[in-house]
Amino acid sequence: MHIRCLIVVALSLSLCWLHNAKSQEKKTDSDRIQGSWKIIKVEVEGKPPPAEFVEKGKFVFNGNKVSIYQGDTMMEEATFALDSAKKPPTIDLTATAALGKGKITYGIYRIEGDTLTLCIGDKRPSEFKAQAEVGVLQMKRVKAEK
C-alpha cells in the first residue's frame, strides 16, 4: 500500500515538473522581458556614467511599453518591439513622452535567466560593445515581493 502511494506521488510530481518545463519552453522573449529590471552596469561611449545613475536606474517592461526610472521618478517612456528571429535579437524603442517623443532608438538584446543586456544607439549595433554613440546596459530582474 505504501509503495503504491509513493508511486502515485512520484508520478504526480513528475507530471507537474514536465508541465512546468513545457510552460517555460513556450515563453517568448516578449514574455520573458516583462517586469522590473535594476540597472547594474552601464557603459556609454566606452565610459561608465555617474554612479548615481546606475544605483537608482530601473527599466519596467509592461506589455509593449517600457518606463525608465531614476529612483522613483519616471525619466522616459517608450514602446518597444522585439525581433527574436534576428541574430542577435533586436529591440526598437520609440519614445512616447518627454523631449524625445517619436525618436526611435535601435538595439540588440540578450536575456540570460534573470540578466538582461541591452546595447542601444541611434543606429543598430552589431555587437555588445559600447562605442561612439552606442551604450550597453546590464540589468538584473527585480523579484516581485510576496
Side-chain angles (χ1 to χ4, degrees):
M1 181 76 162
H2 293 292
I3 292 175
R4 191 177 302 169
C5 288
L6 288 174
I7 290 172
V8 169
V9 169
L11 284 173
S12 297
L13 290 173
S14 296
L15 288 174
C16 286
W17 180 82
L18 284 173
H19 175 72
N20 285 339
K22 288 190 181 222
S23 294
Q24 293 294 328
E25 289 173 18
K26 293 179 185 177
K27 280 191 174 183
T28 65
D29 283 356
S30 291
D31 296 329
R32 295 171 55 218
I33 204 169
Q34 299 297 309
S36 296
W37 298 84
K38 168 87 175 83
I39 297 174
I40 58 170
K41 183 179 177 185
V42 178
E43 193 175 327
V44 179
E45 296 181 1
K47 302 172 193 158
E52 181 178 311
F53 178 80
V54 176
E55 291 168 11
K56 295 183 178 183
K58 178 173 72 170
F59 279 51
V60 178
F61 291 87
N62 185 8
N64 72 333
K65 295 181 180 174
V66 59
S67 301
I68 302 167
Y69 288 88
Q70 187 68 36
D72 293 332
T73 305
M74 184 174 63
M75 303 302 289
E76 195 162 338
E77 197 170 45
T79 58
F80 71 94
L82 302 178
D83 187 346
S84 59
K86 299 235 170 110
K87 299 296 178 212
T90 63
I91 183 169
D92 295 342
L93 301 150
T94 305
T96 59
L99 298 174
K101 187 173 184 176
K103 182 178 182 339
I104 300 173
T105 305
Y106 304 94
I108 55 178
Y109 71 93
R110 179 174 50 220
I111 303 172
E112 298 171 313
D114 285 338
T115 301
L116 170 63
T117 305
L118 297 177
C119 185
I120 53 177
D122 289 335
K123 295 180 182 173
R124 188 169 325 277
S126 58
E127 60 183 332
F128 292 93
K129 182 178 179 185
Q131 53 192 347
E133 297 175 6
V134 173
V136 178
L137 295 98
Q138 189 174 52
M139 296 175 262
K140 285 285 186 192
R141 181 179 301 282
V142 176
K143 302 285 185 179
E145 292 183 21
K146 293 182 180 182

